[in-house]
Amino acid sequence: YVEMELEFEIKYSIAAQKNINFLNSVGIENPSIKFDKYGYRLYHNLTATYKELADKHNYVYYDIKSSVPTFFKLKMMKEGITEDPFLDLFNGDFYLNFGRLIELEGNDKEIRNKAKDIFMYVANEKRRMDKRIMIKLQDKLPRFDLMCQRKRIARDLINDESNFINKFIVPSLDIDKIMTIFDGLVIHKESESIADEFFNKLKSDGCPIEFEKGLLPESKKKEVSHAV
């Protein structure tokens, strides 16, 4: 019964309608809105192929900066944790700081990429990895390591992200055509000033979740699924 309610809520939500409006605007004849039952993320016709949209200069892309780490931080703070080495990693580039803390080797780009892979692996409740890295995590980030061992922690983080995007950001933006991509969204260039004003106000109001703005990502030959 609860899943049926959630399915109805997502399918007929403001986020769903704005996605449909965007899909119609780029020539998708039969827009389809679905969701997964893992974290209730919204999916549509272009979820896996949005990078292949033509005329990329006609679109603007916004996404949450270090999304999963940010929602992990918020979960910590909700539990009353205000001082912890994990929170200090947000002073600068989170993934680079994370990689340096656990003593990964390489140049900045290599460390960042390795660190992101390790973080996402551990945050998804997976424990089979290099024992030396696990020991460093347990030693340097003990609270983070313990929280990663909780059942449903990965699902909860994804659900928090989905709720923030689909129930707050998209309904609050005064734009009718929005395409969501999990922790990000795509709009038409003509709506850029509206979105910039909204996100600037969000930041000035002290929202702990930051957005980065950029061009529509380039397509790669092998598209990697965001699904967990």
Side-chain angles (χ1 to χ4, degrees):
Y1 178 76
V2 173
E3 286 186 349
M4 288 177 63
E5 279 193 334
L6 286 168
E7 181 176 359
F8 182 87
E9 180 183 346
I10 294 172
K11 188 173 181 180
Y12 297 97
S13 66
I14 293 174
Q17 187 57 57
K18 290 190 175 184
N19 270 280
I20 289 172
N21 293 343
F22 186 98
L23 294 170
N24 282 326
S25 74
V26 296
I28 302 298
E29 295 182 359
N30 297 299
S32 173
I33 300 296
K34 299 179 181 179
F35 70 99
D36 65 31
K37 294 182 180 180
Y38 184 85
Y40 291 96
R41 291 171 295 187
L42 188 150
Y43 291 78
H44 50 69
N45 307 63
L46 297 180
T47 295
T49 58
Y50 72 99
K51 295 179 182 179
E52 298 174 13
L53 279 171
D55 302 319
K56 294 183 185 298
H57 60 278
N58 290 330
Y59 310 102
V60 186
Y61 180 67
Y62 299 84
D63 71 319
I64 298 174
K65 182 179 180 180
S66 303
S67 179
V68 176
T70 295
F71 284 100
F72 209 109
K73 175 181 74 172
L74 293 177
K75 186 171 286 291
M76 273 190 171
M77 296 176 73
K78 285 179 182 177
E79 296 182 9
I81 301 170
T82 57
E83 293 185 9
D84 188 86
F86 180 81
L87 303 180
D88 296 335
L89 299 177
F90 290 86
N91 296 323
D93 186 310
F94 173 85
Y95 289 116
L96 188 56
N97 291 338
F98 179 78
R100 287 172 175 166
L101 184 69
I102 59 176
E103 301 174 8
L104 296 179
E105 297 181 351
N107 58 41
D108 285 357
K109 184 178 180 180
E110 291 169 340
I111 291 174
R112 191 180 192 281
N113 290 338
K114 291 177 187 176
K116 187 172 183 179
D117 288 343
I118 291 170
F119 178 88
M120 297 304 294
Y121 186 83
V122 176
N124 275 291
E125 306 168 43
K126 298 176 182 177
R127 311 296 295 174
R128 293 183 179 180
M129 60 186 303
D130 190 321
K131 289 184 178 180
R132 292 171 297 179
I133 294 177
M134 289 305 304
I135 290 172
K136 288 175 183 177
L137 285 172
Q138 293 164 0
D139 179 53
K140 297 178 182 294
L141 298 170
R143 279 200 182 99
F144 167 73
D145 179 66
L146 285 172
M147 289 180 72
C148 285
Q149 297 179 48
R150 296 180 185 176
K151 291 183 178 180
R152 292 180 56 93
I153 184 69
R155 180 179 295 189
D156 289 345
L157 292 171
I158 292 171
N159 190 239
D160 288 345
E161 176 188 277
S162 298
N163 284 334
F164 181 68
I165 291 290
N166 296 315
K167 294 185 178 180
F168 174 64
I169 294 296
V170 175
S172 299
L173 263 170
D174 189 21
I175 299 173
D176 291 331
K177 304 180 187 71
I178 299 175
M179 178 172 66
T180 57
I181 308 292
F182 305 121
D183 66 340
L185 54 92
V186 180
I187 61 170
H188 290 282
K189 183 75 172 178
E190 62 196 38
S191 301
E192 182 178 11
S193 61
I194 297 174
D196 283 349
E197 182 179 352
F198 173 83
F199 288 117
N200 287 336
K201 186 176 188 305
L202 202 65
K203 185 175 182 179
S204 65
D205 287 345
C207 178
I209 300 171
E210 295 183 44
F211 279 80
E212 296 179 308
K213 171 184 171 182
L215 300 173
L216 202 63
E218 290 295 325
S219 176
K220 296 180 181 180
K221 291 183 178 180
K222 293 184 180 180
E223 195 69 36
V224 178
S225 173
H226 290 70
V228 174

